[in-house]
Amino acid sequence: MSDYLIDDGETHEDRLLTFTIPGRNTRGRVVRLGPVLREILGAHDYPPAITHLLAEALVVATLIGSLIKDGDGQMTMQAQTKGGIVNLLVCDFKAGAVRGYVDFDRERLASVGANPSLSALFGEGYLAVTFDMQTGEGRYQGVVPLEGDSLAQACETYFAQSEQVPTLIRVAVKSGADGCEAAGLLVQHLPDGEEGRERLHVRMEHPEWEHVAVMAGSIRYEELLDEALTMETLVWRLFHEEDEVRIERGAMLTRGCRCSAEHYENVLSRFPEDERAEMRDESGNILVDCAFCSRQFAIAL
């Protein structure tokens, strides 16, 4: 196997690793979230089931968002239901900055046990994946039913139905004395190796994809989370028999909450004065809460 690294060293956590397998027309991403994940989760007092759900969602959002070539582009993943325990789950990714938030019914969650299924949390829900590109493609969105055993499976369905790209996603999450850790792998088959060509259908039976899917699907959750294994080692274990695997380090990851007083001032300035007057409290400020980071801003406008 030939590795092409853009710098020296090894990749353990809070940084993306991208790879391509030219002989199989395949691209992939690996990520392991540590301190960044714990910083995002620490903004709210989430119970274990919601912590696990959001951790998985943040890994998936990072894997999918990192596929964007537009450096200023943003990917937003949103799951909603009507009458579900989870009212809203939203994550987004932009240039290595990731954030997420879950709104849920705490009392109903307590009644479904410690490890509720995806259907128990969402009922009949849907998953929307939105790409906002600053150049070229503009904004586009795909919506699929929120089905399967995990968010990862729902996102595989999104790529099959909306993007016509065979995709495999694996996510592992664990919580311990040092907090929550999560990791994930994404691989995709690109027909004829041409990312820009029209895809008339998803060829899950393509021999190149079948081989890659079997190899990638063999990864174990404990391997994804094993801090002793670099992400380069994970890729090598899966695909060392290939003629060539090209590896490149991607962006360093950060908590991506972009809230600021200036941002909210800009948003509120677009409202008519009579509406802003109704928003002000007794001291004349407009109080704005950021759901992502649990901060409150007093805007004097």
Side-chain angles (χ1 to χ4, degrees):
M1 181 181 79
S2 300
D3 294 348
Y4 297 86
L5 304 182
I6 61 173
D7 52 24
D8 296 327
E10 298 177 324
T11 311
H12 287 272
E13 62 183 2
D14 288 343
R15 186 169 188 172
L16 281 157
L17 189 76
T18 73
F19 64 92
T20 57
I21 308 175
R24 301 287 183 182
N25 294 315
T26 295
R27 68 176 175 182
R29 302 289 188 271
V30 185
V31 70
R32 188 178 287 144
L33 297 179
V36 168
L37 173 63
R38 292 187 284 275
E39 185 179 5
I40 295 171
L41 294 173
H44 296 275
D45 182 22
Y46 291 122
I50 300 300
T51 293
H52 189 285
L53 175 69
L54 183 53
E56 179 187 5
L58 289 165
V59 169
V60 172
T62 301
L63 293 170
I64 296 176
S66 68
L67 298 173
I68 298 175
K69 292 184 176 181
D70 180 352
D72 293 323
Q74 176 174 307
M75 190 286 304
T76 302
M77 185 176 72
Q78 183 171 309
Q80 286 187 305
T81 63
K82 291 182 178 179
I85 292 175
V86 174
N87 303 310
L88 170 68
L89 181 150
V90 59
C91 297
D92 65 40
F93 177 96
K94 182 177 182 179
V98 60
R99 63 179 179 173
Y101 168 71
V102 183
D103 177 48
F104 65 100
D105 188 320
R106 194 174 290 268
E107 291 186 3
R108 290 181 61 193
L109 178 66
S111 68
V112 296
N115 297 298
S117 65
L118 195 68
S119 61
L121 290 173
F122 288 97
E124 295 184 4
Y126 68 86
L127 178 73
V129 179
T130 306
F131 292 90
D132 287 292
M133 306 302 211
Q134 299 303 306
T135 59
E137 299 173 81
R139 184 178 190 271
Y140 64 96
Q141 181 182 75
V143 180
V144 295
L146 194 55
E147 298 174 342
D149 295 330
S150 66
L151 285 173
Q153 285 189 12
C155 288
E156 290 175 351
T157 300
Y158 158 77
F159 278 109
Q161 295 184 3
S162 298
E163 299 283 342
Q164 301 295 294
V165 179
T167 303
L168 180 145
I169 302 173
R170 293 290 182 267
V171 178
V173 180
K174 73 173 181 180
S175 296
D178 296 328
C180 189
E181 298 175 66
L185 166 74
L186 176 149
V187 291
Q188 290 186 326
H189 182 240
L190 304 175
D192 298 325
E194 297 179 17
E195 297 183 33
R197 70 171 296 168
E198 182 180 8
R199 299 178 179 86
L200 299 180
H201 62 283
V202 178
R203 293 188 59 194
M204 295 297 187
E205 78 285 358
H206 194 291
E208 289 177 354
W209 173 245
E210 289 179 342
H211 175 82
V212 169
V214 169
M215 294 298 99
S218 69
I219 195 166
R220 303 190 306 274
Y221 287 176
E222 55 267 29
E223 288 181 293
L224 279 170
L225 292 166
D226 189 347
E227 296 179 1
L229 299 176
T230 67
M231 288 189 274
E232 290 88 349
T233 300
L234 292 177
V235 175
W236 182 86
R237 283 189 173 188
L238 294 173
F239 304 113
H240 65 276
E241 295 183 355
E242 300 300 324
D243 292 335
E244 182 181 29
V245 178
R246 301 176 182 175
I247 296 177
E248 182 176 348
R249 289 191 179 86
M252 292 293 298
L253 302 175
T254 61
R255 188 190 71 163
C257 197
R258 296 177 287 280
C259 64
S260 67
E262 292 75 17
H263 170 73
Y264 291 124
E265 285 176 1
N266 181 54
V267 172
L268 291 169
S269 67
R270 303 170 193 169
F271 287 81
E273 170 56 30
D274 58 337
E275 294 186 20
R276 293 203 300 268
E278 295 179 1
M279 300 178 193
R280 295 187 181 102
D281 62 12
E282 296 178 355
S283 62
N285 293 320
I286 300 175
L287 300 181
V288 181
D289 294 307
C290 176
F292 288 100
C293 66
S294 196
R295 295 172 61 194
Q296 187 176 75
F297 295 84
I299 309 300
L301 189 67

